[in-house]
């Protein structure tokens, strides 16, 4: 049975509208949500129970190696690769983005070709290529094309495994970072540039003081995602036997045969590092979003 409620007409309400029936809001059934919650809790409980009761996880071994010096040194090496690769990669990527956005066809074509090549080749292949560059070019030198070489040295003396891996990571990150930076620059309204040119602001000042501060709001989320991906992508340096976290874990379980707990050690540290980066991303985005979509200031705040 449906109840129809009527209201007495007022001066501001149309008499015809006042006679319309007001039906009570029907509450939707919530059983679907409760079933989903119950299933989720059951699956989570089964996962926790399995992790606690299954002896093959070998939690004592996990605890013994979680803070071992060799694992912490490998973790720091991984963090170094991530920081250096991200900073240099995005700096070089920013240059590539500006080159592609420039009106110079040569620079734009070179930038497009570089991005196409290094986005097409997997990271592990790039690291392996630079690691064995000496097999292709035994000597690297500086001179005139098709002419004499003024300075040269054996490739194996110039490119250590660490340097080769770092070059591969930076160039790979630059190819992806350039597209992120380019998208951020394109997100800034063209009127901003027109107004800056009308005021006579130099191009460098336009980029640093007007374009980049506004583009950062668009750049930061995908850039942070790329850095998190790079953190896990550094596992590719194991191909050159560099002592990153994944490689050292492999070495340890290759000696004692405790594969599962040692892999869990690596998973735990990657999860912790990813969480730290995610928290930093959150606060950076929060700071950059100041003044966008915020509430209007009160009279007290305006007076202050």
């Amino acid at each position: 049975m449906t109840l129809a409620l009527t209201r007495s007409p007022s001066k501001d309400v149309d008499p015809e509208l006042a006679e319309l029936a007001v039906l009570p809001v029907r509450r939707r059934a919530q059983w679907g949500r409760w079933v989903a919650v119950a299933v989720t809790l059951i699956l989570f409980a089964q996962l926790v129970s399995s992790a606690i009761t299954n002896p093959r996880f070998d939690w004592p071994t996990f605890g013994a190696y979680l803070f071992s010096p060799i694992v912490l040194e490998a973790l720091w090496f991984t963090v170094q690769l991530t920081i250096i690769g991200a900073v240099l990669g995005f700096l070089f990527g920013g240059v590539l983005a500006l080159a592609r956005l420039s009106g110079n066809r040569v620079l734009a074509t070179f930038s497009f070709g570089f991005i196409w090549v290094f986005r097409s080749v997997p990271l592990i292949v790039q690291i392996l290529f630079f690691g064995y560059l000496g097999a292709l070019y035994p000597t690297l030198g500086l001179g005139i094309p098709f002419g004499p070489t003024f300075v040269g040295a054996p490739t194996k003396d110039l490119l250590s495994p660490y340097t080769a891996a770092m070059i591969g990571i930076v160039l790979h990150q630059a190819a992806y970072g350039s597209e992120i930076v380019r998208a951020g620059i394109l997100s800034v309204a063209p009127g901003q540039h027109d107004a800056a040119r009308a005021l006579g602001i130099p191009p460098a000042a336009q980029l640093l003081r007007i374009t980049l501060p506004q583009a950062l709001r668009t750049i930061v989320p995908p850039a942070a995602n790329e850095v998190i991906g790079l953190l896990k992508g550094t596992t590719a340096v194991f191909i050159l036997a560099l002592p990153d976290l994944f490689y050292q874990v492999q070495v340890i379980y290759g000696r004692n045969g405790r594969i599962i707990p040692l892999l869990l050690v690596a998973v735990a540290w990657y999860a912790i590092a990813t969480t730290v980066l995610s928290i930093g991303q959150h606060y950076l985005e929060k700071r950059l979003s100041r003044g966008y979509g915020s509430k209007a200031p009160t009279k007290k705040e305006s007076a202050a």
Side-chain angles (χ1 to χ4, degrees):
M1 178 178 180
T2 303
L3 297 178
L5 304 178
T6 57
R7 296 174 297 183
S8 58
S10 61
K11 298 180 180 179
D12 299 331
V13 179
D14 191 338
E16 295 182 0
L17 296 178
E19 297 297 331
L20 294 178
V22 179
L23 301 178
V25 179
R26 295 182 179 179
R27 299 187 62 182
R28 296 180 180 180
Q30 303 292 326
W31 60 268
R33 296 182 182 180
W34 289 113
V35 170
V37 170
V39 171
T40 302
L41 292 177
I42 291 173
L43 292 176
F44 180 74
Q46 288 181 338
L47 178 63
V48 173
S49 175
S50 174
I52 294 175
T53 59
N54 192 340
R56 294 181 178 85
F57 281 102
D58 196 359
W59 295 112
T61 302
F62 170 84
Y65 283 98
L66 184 62
F67 296 101
S68 65
I70 187 172
V71 170
L72 294 180
E73 289 177 6
L75 174 64
W76 174 237
F77 184 80
T78 299
V79 171
Q80 285 181 318
L81 288 177
T82 304
I83 293 175
I84 296 174
V87 172
L88 296 182
F90 275 101
L91 287 176
F92 187 28
V95 175
L96 290 172
L98 293 176
R100 190 170 179 183
L101 292 173
S102 68
N104 190 303
R105 290 184 177 271
V106 175
L107 294 178
T109 303
F110 170 79
S111 175
F112 175 80
F114 180 94
I115 295 169
W116 174 76
V117 169
F118 283 93
R119 286 203 304 179
S120 302
V121 182
L123 175 59
I124 190 171
V125 177
Q126 296 179 35
I127 293 175
L128 194 61
F129 174 81
F130 288 107
Y132 291 93
L133 189 63
L136 185 61
Y137 297 103
T139 303
L140 295 178
L142 182 63
I144 299 176
F146 305 102
T149 300
F150 303 119
V151 180
T155 304
K156 63 179 181 179
D157 295 337
L158 295 176
L159 289 180
S160 64
Y162 176 82
T163 305
M166 202 71 260
I167 292 174
I169 290 174
V170 169
L171 296 182
H172 180 269
Q173 192 61 37
Y176 285 90
S178 64
E179 291 297 277
I180 294 174
V181 174
R182 186 172 71 93
I185 294 175
L186 291 176
S187 68
V188 179
Q192 300 283 336
H193 306 286
D194 297 338
R197 284 193 294 268
L199 293 173
I201 300 176
Q206 293 180 30
L207 177 65
L208 297 177
R209 303 297 297 274
I210 298 175
T211 303
L212 284 182
Q214 298 181 71
L216 281 176
R217 295 183 63 249
T218 305
I219 292 173
V220 167
N225 193 51
E226 274 297 312
V227 174
I228 291 174
L230 178 62
L231 171 70
K232 294 170 287 186
T234 54
T235 55
V237 302
F238 84 94
I239 199 69
L240 299 182
L242 290 174
D244 77 307
L245 180 59
F246 181 63
Y247 178 81
Q248 290 292 42
V249 164
Q250 285 182 305
V251 171
I252 296 173
Y253 73 63
R255 294 174 181 174
N256 60 19
R258 305 290 187 176
I259 299 176
I260 299 299
L262 266 302
L263 287 178
L264 289 175
V265 168
V267 168
W269 280 120
Y270 281 122
I272 292 172
T274 301
T275 302
V276 172
L277 290 174
S278 300
I279 293 173
Q281 174 190 353
H282 169 73
Y283 282 103
L284 182 58
E285 289 182 7
K286 187 176 180 180
R287 179 175 179 83
L288 292 175
S289 64
R290 292 182 305 175
Y292 292 88
S294 58
K295 296 181 180 179
T298 61
K299 294 182 178 180
K300 185 177 181 180
E301 293 172 343
S302 301

